[in-house]
Amino acid sequence: MLRFEIKARDAAGRIGKLEVNGKKLETPAIMPVVNPKQLIVEPKDLKKMGFDIIITNSYIIYKDEELRDRALEVGIHKFLDYDGIIEVDSGSFQLMRYGGIEVTNREIIEFQHKIGVDIGTFLDIPTIPDAPREKAEEDLRITLERAKEAEEIKQIAMNATVQGSTFLDLRTYAAEKLSEMNFEIHPIGAVVPLMESYRYKDLVDVVVASKIGLRPDRPVHLFGAGHPMIFALAVAMGIDLFDSASYALYAKDGRYLTPEGTKHLDDIEYFPCSCPVCSKYTPQELREMEKEERAKLLALHNLWVIREELNRVKQAIKEGTLWELVDERSRSHPKLFAAYKRLLEYKDYLEENEPISKSSAFFKVSEEILRTPVVLRAKERAERVKQKFSQTVEHPIFGEIPKYLALTFPFAQSEAEEDFTIPKPSKKDAKLYIKAVAEYQFGENASKAFEDAFVELSRKTGMPRQIKAKGKHLATFRAEDGLLTLGIEGAKRLHQILPYPKMRVVVNADAEPFARKGKSVFAKFVIDADENIRPYDEVLIVNEKDELLATGQTILNGKELRIFKQGVAVKVRRGVES
Amino acid sequence: MLRFEIKARDAAGRIGKLEVNGKKLETPAIMPVVNPKQLIVEPKDLKKMGFDIIITNSYIIYKDEELRDRALEVGIHKFLDYDGIIEVDSGSFQLMRYGGIEVTNREIIEFQHKIGVDIGTFLDIPTIPDAPREKAEEDLRITLERAKEAEEIKQIAMNATVQGSTFLDLRTYAAEKLSEMNFEIHPIGAVVPLMESYRYKDLVDVVVASKIGLRPDRPVHLFGAGHPMIFALAVAMGIDLFDSASYALYAKDGRYLTPEGTKHLDDIEYFPCSCPVCSKYTPQELREMEKEERAKLLALHNLWVIREELNRVKQAIKEGTLWELVDERSRSHPKLFAAYKRLLEYKDYLEENEPISKSSAFFKVSEEILRTPVVLRAKERAERVKQKFSQTVEHPIFGEIPKYLALTFPFAQSEAEEDFTIPKPSKKDAKLYIKAVAEYQFGENASKAFEDAFVELSRKTGMPRQIKAKGKHLATFRAEDGLLTLGIEGAKRLHQILPYPKMRVVVNADAEPFARKGKSVFAKFVIDADENIRPYDEVLIVNEKDELLATGQTILNGKELRIFKQGVAVKVRRGVES
């Protein structure tokens, strides 16, 4: 019905591939809100700009006899003249804003199906922030009842929105309950009032409380969030989908979006943008235009800047610099700064999702960034390794670290305020580097696998390269991050040394022959996994009898490995032929 | 020959109007470097993009017989087909890079004049960073000799470049010496090696040491600086002009500029930009192009992003949010973060240039921003006012402040991480607010002017509005920043209370009748001024006998008022008829 898989990740954010009814979408993505009664930008033009998904309101269409008849007759795609993915809201928002609507849950779900939407939404009850506890509970009870009804009758991919007001336990509870049911996407609802009043810190609490309860394999939509100033933070929390009505609403009102906030056209003397609108006109020229033309151009600018900031976020995920972007963006507004610091308090949630390695160096661009999981984890693991490898060097960011970790991410791959030099291994102590890294990367006792290792040093760079023992390949020391990629012999040794379930990804019998041949392991074949596995870890793939089948790199963490049913779970590097 | 005046300012940065040979330029501005031997973008297309000034190298033209003859024949503007301002370098950079050149100071100056450039550069000697002291001194001695020669023979506007390597006293000395001479622009030279090695902290030292020695009324060019990542910081230090060769050089090498740093096209999966290039093509499409076409498009992107970041900086100056932008940008690289913190150590230099009020609220977006001059000054002045007005309120950013300053910039006009409420005045204590603000804004004893004042409170907002005494208008309480604009009676009283030269701007007899009639005072008529005046202060305009002529708002600080000869110095609000 709807497929979703993770292609890349950073912080708790991810680049995903979503597919529904044969139409594809890369996430994080934003769906421009299309008001069927007033098209400021034609949906097909949105598609041309790269918006592969839009959202409209099925309740507005349903309520208007003319629109309803036409939508039923030609279908929503023809109705809007848009061949991308069309999602619809149910009228829940209208319920929150205006108190009541004239349609039942069943009616709106059936209508959504009949007009051929790609992703529907049942009629959940949004509870505004700071509502009385009883109200939030009662609303949630009804929402969950309606979810049950929706689950029974739905024939299309469907949103199940997490509610619970600002009661974090209710958010987690709702998320858990809805995760147990058969839905495809989980929006987080009723957060618009928080965003409108800049309560970003509360937004962080609500989002993380929801994310903690949600299955990790379904996309999460931050309902009503479309301002580029929060994209980086929201994606870092694990948000995959956004929607924006503001591009058009703001435009009508002369408001101009930037990744740092909203400006009014009247206050702009220089456009801080180079989009097709801003590179062609001056602010003064726009001010002098007819209202309608100006609104259209402002809407286009707003869309371009939304697209641009999402691109920036996606590029940061690819580079592994999302925390740096969040840090930078948090300087746009004190409430965003506060929200960033609040997010960093969710240490465990963040650490679980944080990749083991990145393609970019860690940048110390603030004091706050020293509380991101990449730093905390590195320090914690270094502390552990120090017990066995007590020789230390002083690092300008990480303090006293074991000398033999000095080549490894993020210690060597980091940029401090002052330059520092990385000690190079000698032939004599090269093995100690490998052993320390093994303990750091694979956990306690892992160094035992390398007791008799011989380490080749690169003639060109002086850095460790291949690690062998008795003519067999144990591992490769990766030049880019100073971590180890296992050879078959290395994997076998670690498999012997480390007790089950450490480092294991357990696959079923169907996957065994493929894994042994070195083919990638798909998530649907995974039965179990070590919950301490982190994204991009090197893992051991075993069968149910804990026989070693292969070694490779996982894109999922331990929890996700158990849950995901779609996409590649482990890129196998080497299979162990039986 | 060349006119330069200040139109708006923030931090130590300024928006200026530069005019040379009838051609106008708004600063801060960047001049794309045009290589006459290889035009990647046509100069006339640069003009269309909004680049009103370009720079080329007179030595390269001089050295090549064919180019030289043509330039001499048709003049540099026709030669380059560009009708904006053309500045030329002299070959100094080549001297620094390659050790020697084949032209004398006199020859190149005369050549520059003959080919009709708008702004020339004499042949100064750049000394690289960390050179031996003796070398730096000797180079500087020659540079100053050549400056003397240049001064004698020059017939066009001319750069006099500040050298002195990384010896800060030499930089200041060179700046002072050159300021005494008849030049129009002061570049800061030999800083490219600092920027290439990310030594931004040293760059801050060199720039501030130079700025401290330079006359404030001449534009300052950071020679060789053209990366958008340093624009905000550089402008905040007081840089007016930049030049960029990198837009083209980087493009040839597949490098892509962003305000956060440089990326290689090979590493870009999503363009974090909406410029005419990036909104039209994908990174993959660019990679697949012919080398030349790709280089051209990358050069265009680089130019757009340079233009965009300068726009952002100028918009921030207008808004009074330049420090917030510097803070945000300092998160792009640890060395930039370090440089930002270094700049904040130059407290006195920054405070002198910091405006008294801004059109935007102060945003507490970091701990570092609490060390900007707007905060330090507010705290210091509040501390002084507390001696007389001891009732205090707790402010989330500024700590304990006098209760009666709570409506005034930046205390009320600030955004903290948490919301806070501003106490409103009652009819009973409204006068205390005015008196406290008078001490805060005009200095000790200023409150005495308001002893018998009656304060009107706005019926709508409850805020103070007009302040009167005995039927006469003393001052207006500005709703936007809670500071006072003086009426004639208020100005007269302060003139009596505050001893000369406090708050005074002394003008000559020529200006007297105009000032009395309420016309703006131009800088060239100013004879003297209180050195404690700060930008946007409300001041008293007096004649040489210290008779009060008018009151108004100055855009210049005390030091600048004494030196500037161009542009408006004080916007007179009210004149005192004799």
Side-chain angles (χ1 to χ4, degrees), chain A residues 201 274 308 335 418-419, chain B residues 201 274 308 335 418-419:
Chain A
K201 207 161 85 173
S274 305
E308 174 179 324
K335 300 288 171 66
E418 303 289 344
D419 285 326
Chain B
K201 207 161 84 174
S274 305
E308 173 179 326
K335 300 287 171 65
E418 302 290 343
D419 285 326

Side-chain angles (χ1 to χ4, degrees), chain A residues 15 26 201 260 263 267-276 278-279 304 307-308 311-312 314-315 318-319 327-329 331-335 337-338 341 363-367 415-419, chain B residues 15 26 201 260 263 267-276 278-279 304 307-308 311-312 314-315 318-319 327-329 331-335 337-338 341 363-367 415-419:
Chain A
I15 292 180
E26 190 176 73
K201 207 161 85 173
E260 285 96 5
K263 296 182 195 296
D267 302 324
I268 304 179
E269 219 163 307
Y270 310 90
F271 280 138
C273 176
S274 305
C275 80
C278 298
S279 57
W304 281 115
R307 174 187 177 276
E308 174 179 324
N311 271 357
R312 197 172 281 118
K314 288 197 279 184
Q315 179 66 20
K318 285 280 179 183
E319 290 174 2
D327 193 289
E328 185 181 2
R329 286 294 180 250
R331 315 300 161 167
S332 305
H333 196 283
K335 300 288 171 66
F337 178 49
K341 291 194 285 186
F363 274 15
K364 192 213 152 181
V365 291
S366 70
E367 299 305 320
E415 187 81 42
E417 291 170 72
E418 303 289 344
D419 285 326
Chain B
I15 291 181
E26 189 176 74
K201 207 161 84 174
E260 285 96 5
K263 297 182 194 295
D267 302 326
I268 305 179
E269 217 161 311
Y270 311 90
F271 280 139
C273 177
S274 305
C275 80
C278 298
S279 57
W304 281 114
R307 173 185 178 277
E308 173 179 326
N311 272 356
R312 197 173 279 118
K314 288 197 279 184
Q315 179 67 21
K318 285 279 179 185
E319 291 174 2
D327 194 289
E328 185 181 2
R329 287 293 180 251
R331 316 300 161 168
S332 304
H333 195 284
K335 300 287 171 65
F337 178 48
K341 291 193 285 186
F363 273 15
K364 192 213 152 181
V365 291
S366 70
E367 300 305 320
E415 187 79 43
E417 292 171 73
E418 302 290 343
D419 285 326

Side-chain angles (χ1 to χ4, degrees), chain B residues 32-53:
Chain B
V33 174
V34 170
N35 179 348
K37 292 190 168 177
Q38 195 178 16
L39 298 175
I40 189 161
V41 180
E42 294 284 338
K44 63 178 177 226
D45 292 333
L46 292 171
K47 190 82 168 42
K48 279 185 207 148
M49 286 175 78
F51 295 99
D52 293 328
I53 184 169

